Amino acid sequence: MDDKTILNRISELVDEEHKLRADAQAHESGTEGEASERLRALEESLDQCWDLLRRRRAARETHGDPDAQGERPKPEVERYLQ
């Protein structure tokens, strides 16, 4: 997966996240059930994509191979301190 593909995926995930949040706001019900679970999954996928993009850029800057960077598992990415 190249940087452009990752950025496109991030854009798709953000668009879906915004739509879910807007729908929840329009119904004034907040996010419940399936929508809440989907939002959590979107956030985790976004974290994975951003992590991969950062590591690819770091590899490139240090003359490494960005293509050698793979997606880390969600539990690993989610344990990072913000």
Side-chain angles (χ1 to χ4, degrees):
M1 190 179 311
D2 65 0
D3 291 2
K4 185 176 179 179
T5 303
I6 297 168
L7 287 167
N8 286 338
R9 180 68 180 141
I10 288 170
S11 180
E12 291 170 0
L13 292 168
V14 167
D15 288 346
E16 184 178 353
E17 180 185 26
H18 288 172
K19 183 183 181 313
L20 280 173
R21 290 189 189 280
D23 289 348
Q25 233 177 8
H27 295 94
E28 297 180 14
S29 62
T31 54
E32 298 175 10
E34 289 181 23
S36 181
E37 289 177 29
R38 182 61 188 147
L39 277 172
R40 185 183 327 270
L42 286 169
E43 290 166 355
E44 291 172 350
S45 294
L46 279 166
D47 288 345
Q48 273 186 307
C49 288
W50 280 116
D51 174 68
L52 178 57
L53 187 61
R54 285 184 195 107
R55 288 186 301 107
R56 287 179 55 82
R57 288 175 174 171
R60 194 174 295 112
E61 288 175 11
T62 58
H63 307 289
D65 180 8
D67 293 328
Q69 303 303 313
E71 198 171 78
R72 291 182 183 173
K74 287 181 184 181
E76 182 176 340
V77 173
E78 290 303 305
R79 285 192 309 262
Y80 293 157
L81 296 176
Q82 299 284 328

